[in-house]
């Protein structure tokens, strides 16, 4: 068990490799109750969210969601999150556990007339069911009482005694669902999912597998790959930034970077051959000079090779560029790769 | 937790088995469980002279890298080459096939300062 954003959470249940392979080949369930749930509602909710988030919330139909960023005025990342449009005038923001207090304080300090903000993180639990067999498990679990939401959609399911929000989202690169519901129901739902998935090869999955799965997909982790000193443009996340919007916090810096280019970019790399696994904060060399340090690193259980990410000076941030990673004083060759590192 | 009675232990979770004037070293069952799946082992070089307490090897799991310390002073005489291709032996058989290295003892009296199985079990809170 480790402390994670103030939560005491398991790194693994049966083993990181076993859990990782279960999600890639069958199905796994993650306890994501640590994630924050912030509800935003009111007639001005959409306009206001468009002022504080980078993506364009107007693109969402009710029941749809998007990945988006909360930025500081310098364009640095406060948090990355999923914004769900639950219904007309009502939104759910699912934010990182370690950033709940900072996000809510920031949002409160920028609140506008006609917008209500409710931080209900303590009330809600969440489970992520991920893997190629997640859809089969969904049908078993809900017994045909509700159809599966489409990818990036969210549905409301009113069970006998409580409401469950069901989203077709995740952080693994596999098909899957995320369920959000009142915390008191968490043990029952967790047990039921594990039982109904037992013959599908289900595994309960911890933080270790969550990290290896997301890194193979090059999904950034806030606090490692994202920070207040890097913009989403530098992080290679322009797709989730709508510079057509007339204004949002951080926009001017991002527009400037779009026009003039960035000096460094977050790119994935793969080690060449058998090496110790790279980890965060390892130095990166090019032509004998230290040019960067890794922001994430691990051994990819799927590829069987070391992988990671780093902000590399733009002149070297090209696919197939060769770099060296310093591991305990020895340099090992690696190449810069295209995202994602794992493809089906 | 498996703590064989015939071995000596360190507070940093290495085990040591005395074999004449040599000693075989590995990590304990507790250590391999804490490390999680071992995916890489960096072994010392045969002929290296090591001091008791010096960092001589690194065992890496998916999660983290763990330093391995020499329980006693000596000269490395053999390393477990099988770990290069099968690092998971550290998890599956920590006291057997998952051994790390053997060393020739410089000062056999150092062995007396290591913990016996009962003391190590107490350290683990068992």
């Amino acid at each position: 068990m480790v402390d994670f954003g103030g939560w005491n959470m398991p790194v693994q249940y049966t083993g990181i490799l076993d859990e990782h392979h279960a999600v890639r080949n069958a199905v796994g369930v993650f306890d994501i109750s640590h994630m924050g749930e912030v509800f935003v509602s009111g007639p001005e909710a959409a306009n206001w969210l468009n002022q504080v988030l980078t993506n364009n919330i107007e693109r969402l139909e009710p029941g749809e969601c998007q990945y988006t960023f909360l930025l500081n005025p310098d364009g640095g990342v406060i948090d990355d999150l999923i914004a769900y449009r639950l219904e007309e005038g009502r939104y759910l923001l699912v934010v990182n556990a370690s950033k709940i207090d900072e996000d809510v304080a920031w949002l409160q300090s920028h609140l506008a007339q006609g917008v209500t903000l409710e931080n209900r993180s303590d009330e809600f639990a969440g489970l992520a069911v991920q893997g190629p067999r997640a859809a089969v498990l969904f049908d078993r679990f809900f017994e045909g009482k509700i159809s599966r939401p489409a990818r990036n959609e969210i549905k409301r399911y009113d069970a006998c005694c409580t409401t469950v929000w069901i989203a077709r989202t995740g952080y693994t690169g596999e098909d899957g669902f995320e369920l959000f519901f009142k915390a008191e129901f968490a043990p029952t739902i967790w047990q039921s999912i594990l039982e109904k998935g037992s013959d599908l090869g289900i595994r309960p999955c911890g933080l270790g597998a969550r990290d290896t799965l997301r890194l193979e997909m090059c999904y950034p982790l806030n606090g490692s790959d994202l920070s207040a000193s890097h913009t989403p443009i530098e992080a290679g996340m322009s797709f989730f930034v709508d510079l057509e919007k007339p204004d949002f916090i951080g926009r001017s810096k991002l527009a400037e970077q779009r026009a003039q280019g960035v000096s460094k970019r977050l790119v994935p790399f793969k080690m060449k051959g058998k090496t110790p696994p790279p980890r965060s904060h390892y130095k990166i060399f090019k032509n004998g000079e230290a040019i960067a340090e890794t922001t994430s690193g691990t051994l990819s259980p799927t590829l069987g090779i070391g992988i990671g990410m780093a902000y590399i000076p733009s002149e070297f941030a090209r696919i197939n560029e060769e770099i060296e990673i310093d591991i305990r004083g020895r340099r090992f060759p690696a190449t810069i790769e295209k995202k994602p590192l794992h493809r089906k | 937790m498996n703590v064989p009675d015939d071995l000596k232990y360190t507070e940093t979770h290495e085990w040591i088995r005395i074999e004449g004037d040599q000693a075989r070293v590995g990590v304990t069952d507790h250590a391999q469980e804490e490390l999680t799946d071992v995916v890489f082992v960096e072994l010392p070089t045969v002929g290296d002279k090591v001091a008791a307490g010096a960092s001589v090897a690194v065992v890496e799991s998916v999660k983290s890298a763990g330093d391995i310390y020499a329980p006693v002073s000596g000269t490395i005489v053999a390393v477990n080459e099988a770990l290069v291709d099968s690092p998971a032996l550290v998890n599956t058989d920590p006291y057997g096939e998952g051994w790390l290295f053997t060393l020739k003892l410089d000062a056999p009296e150092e062995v007396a300062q290591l913990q016996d199985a009962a003391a190590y079990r107490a350290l683990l809170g068992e």
Side-chain angles (χ1 to χ4, degrees), chain A residues 90-239:
Chain A
R90 188 155 181 256
Y91 297 84
L92 166 64
L93 310 181
V94 175
V95 307
N96 283 299
S98 59
K99 293 287 178 174
I100 296 170
D101 293 345
E102 192 180 336
D103 291 356
V104 171
W106 177 262
L107 292 170
Q108 285 287 4
S109 71
H110 291 84
L111 208 58
Q113 288 283 328
V115 184
T116 305
L117 192 71
E118 294 169 274
N119 174 13
R120 298 176 67 185
S121 303
D122 290 346
E123 258 176 76
F124 275 79
L127 297 179
V129 181
Q130 303 278 299
R133 295 184 183 162
V136 173
L137 182 53
F138 179 98
D139 294 347
R140 275 190 203 178
F141 184 80
F142 290 103
E143 298 171 339
K145 289 171 190 154
I146 184 168
S147 61
R148 303 168 193 159
R151 181 139 190 86
N152 291 329
E153 283 187 3
I154 187 165
K155 283 188 173 183
R156 178 192 174 122
Y157 175 60
D158 289 305
C160 60
C161 37
T162 194
T163 295
V164 182
W165 290 101
I166 310 160
R168 193 81 171 260
T169 46
Y171 193 47
T172 63
E174 299 298 329
D175 184 22
F177 302 87
E178 292 179 304
L179 313 180
F180 302 99
F181 47 84
K182 291 287 185 66
E184 63 203 89
F185 298 98
T188 311
I189 296 178
W190 169 265
Q191 280 304 335
S192 172
I193 287 174
L194 283 174
E195 280 161 27
K196 290 189 161 72
S198 64
D199 66 323
L200 299 174
I202 197 169
R203 290 285 185 279
C205 299
L207 289 174
R210 193 165 166 78
D211 194 55
T212 52
L213 289 158
R214 70 93 193 167
L215 193 48
E216 286 183 346
M217 298 310 296
C218 306
Y219 296 154
L221 173 65
N222 196 9
S224 296
D225 313 298
L226 301 174
S227 77
S229 52
H230 291 110
T231 71
I233 309 281
E234 290 166 343
M237 293 287 157
S238 304
F239 185 77

